[in-house]
Amino acid sequence: MAQALVCAQASVVCLDFWEIITQQKEIVYSLFSVTMFTCAELLIYYLGEKFHAFVIFTWLSAGLFTASVIDGIVRRPPLPLEDRKKVIVLLAINCLLSSVSELVSTAANVLATPGDTIAILNTAPTIVFALSVLFLGHPFTVAGMSFSVLSAIGVALVTQPPFLFGTLVQDISSGYITGVSLAGCSAIIEAVTVILYKFISNYNISPLYVTLFNGTVCIPLGLTLCYVFDVWSTPRLIGEVFALLSTGVAWYLAVTSVYLAVKVKQRPVCVITLMTSEVVLVMIGQYVVFGVMNMWIGYVGAILIMVACIGIEVKGDGVDDSADENQEAHPMIEKTP
């Protein structure tokens, strides 16, 4: 009798936990995306000792394309018949932006430093917040802006870029300035891409087509770069091939999760702010796998990032979810001011 009661209570707890998860899908999708991006970046860091960045980029694109094709064969999601031209144009623009973003961030890592690049790239929440207010009609809120800025400050403390923590202006080379500028461009492109996901999701497009388009373009682009710069090297071990392709599979799962997170509640600011928690996972991963530790100020930054992630979800970005859900449930009822 007592065992049956315990089992019943456990079942109730599991059901309540599952209900909470289903109600917060964008959090689940965002954190899963962060986990997959972290796995991909740790693999890239490991493979960077053996292969050039352009070679890794090419194999990553191949893994992304392969995962997309397999997913397409299994699920066969339809491409919407209505406004197909607009859909293809949106996918093409997204593909172009994603390809440029990856190339620009790669160049930034070469000319500047990885710490600087990550710090600047993760200022994207502030950019997304501004774009959401300007182009999506989201209201400007002090809370949304504050948590977006807090997240950028946290990332800066974790990565401790030299241009903020000790390098004199007169000592900065022109190449370094170019790298920092490219990282800033990449952050803007990444923010625009997340906003674009909102428009793409309005057409009920499967995320498969987003990743399939990206992989199709990035493979020949990567091969061209390897040929032009003469950096191609063929992996000799099966384990190396598996690791290279795994970066693409992890990337596929990450991009798909980001798209679904934006699609669930149409809140790009919330999604991309949650994704800044990737820095925390990278810190943990690099210590566990590679034994790399951060200074104490880095852990302060990690706490700020987590506070920003929790705050942006609790306060939101000014979007009334209940109103949106009511509009979806009763589409014939117009919203009144």
Side-chain angles (χ1 to χ4, degrees):
M1 190 69 179
Q3 291 181 348
L5 181 60
V6 171
C7 291
Q9 291 176 343
S11 300
V12 171
V13 171
C14 290
L15 289 174
D16 290 341
F17 181 71
W18 178 251
E19 184 178 356
I20 293 173
I21 291 178
T22 55
Q23 291 176 352
Q24 303 293 335
K25 288 182 179 179
E26 85 271 22
I27 297 179
V28 176
Y29 286 137
S30 298
L31 295 181
F32 181 75
S33 174
V34 166
T35 304
M36 290 298 99
F37 272 131
T38 300
C39 291
E41 290 176 359
L42 291 176
L43 277 172
I44 291 171
Y45 179 82
Y46 167 74
L47 293 167
E49 299 179 356
K50 301 179 180 180
F51 303 98
H52 191 275
F54 291 157
V55 176
I56 298 174
F57 171 77
T58 304
W59 280 94
L60 185 152
S61 303
L64 181 70
F65 179 79
T66 302
S68 302
V69 170
I70 293 174
D71 187 17
I73 294 175
V74 174
R75 294 194 299 114
R76 298 183 181 180
L79 188 66
L81 296 176
E82 297 180 1
D83 298 322
R84 179 168 289 189
K85 290 183 179 179
K86 291 183 179 179
V87 169
I88 293 177
V89 169
L90 285 173
L91 289 173
I93 294 174
N94 173 77
C95 179
L96 176 63
L97 290 174
S98 298
S99 302
V100 173
S101 177
E102 290 185 30
L103 282 176
V104 169
S105 61
T106 300
N109 274 301
V110 173
L111 295 173
T113 64
D116 295 6
T117 303
I118 294 174
I120 297 173
L121 286 178
N122 279 278
T123 59
T126 306
I127 302 172
V128 170
F129 177 80
L131 293 177
S132 296
V133 172
L134 292 174
F135 299 107
L136 299 182
H138 290 186
F140 178 88
T141 63
V142 176
M145 188 64 187
S146 300
F147 286 123
S148 296
V149 173
L150 185 64
S151 129
I153 294 174
V155 172
L157 291 178
V158 169
T159 55
Q160 301 156 38
F163 75 95
L164 290 177
F165 289 85
T167 300
L168 298 177
V169 176
Q170 57 266 30
D171 294 334
I172 298 177
S173 65
S174 59
Y176 178 84
I177 295 176
T178 302
V180 170
S181 301
L182 289 175
C185 292
S186 183
I188 296 173
I189 295 172
E190 182 180 341
V192 174
T193 302
V194 173
I195 295 294
L196 192 62
Y197 282 162
K198 193 269 181 186
F199 290 101
I200 294 176
S201 66
N202 288 337
Y203 291 93
N204 198 28
I205 304 172
S206 170
L208 164 70
Y209 292 107
V210 176
T211 56
L212 186 62
F213 268 62
N214 290 353
T216 303
V217 171
C218 289
I219 290 176
L221 179 61
L223 290 172
T224 302
L225 289 172
C226 290
Y227 174 77
V228 170
F229 291 95
D230 192 23
V231 294
W232 177 260
S233 58
T234 303
R236 300 178 179 179
L237 302 175
I238 297 178
E240 293 177 345
V241 175
F242 178 79
L244 286 165
L245 290 176
S246 294
T247 59
V249 175
W251 209 269
Y252 166 77
L253 294 173
V255 172
T256 300
S257 299
V258 173
Y259 176 85
L260 292 175
V262 174
K263 182 179 179 180
V264 168
K265 286 197 175 181
Q266 306 287 296
R267 291 164 58 183
V269 178
C270 171
V271 172
I272 200 162
T273 303
L274 284 169
M275 289 183 63
T276 58
S277 60
E278 176 186 355
V279 180
V280 179
L281 287 185
V282 170
M283 283 175 51
I284 297 173
Q286 70 183 12
Y287 172 71
V288 173
V289 179
F290 303 108
V292 178
M293 292 189 64
N294 288 76
M295 295 176 61
W296 65 269
I297 195 172
Y299 296 103
V300 173
I303 294 173
L304 292 181
I305 292 171
M306 289 186 285
V307 170
C309 291
I310 296 172
I312 202 71
E313 178 57 29
V314 173
K315 292 293 184 180
D317 49 8
V319 180
D320 188 351
D321 292 336
S322 60
D324 289 343
E325 291 172 0
N326 183 64
Q327 181 71 9
E328 291 177 2
H330 306 283
M332 298 303 294
I333 301 177
E334 295 184 357
K335 296 180 182 178
T336 57

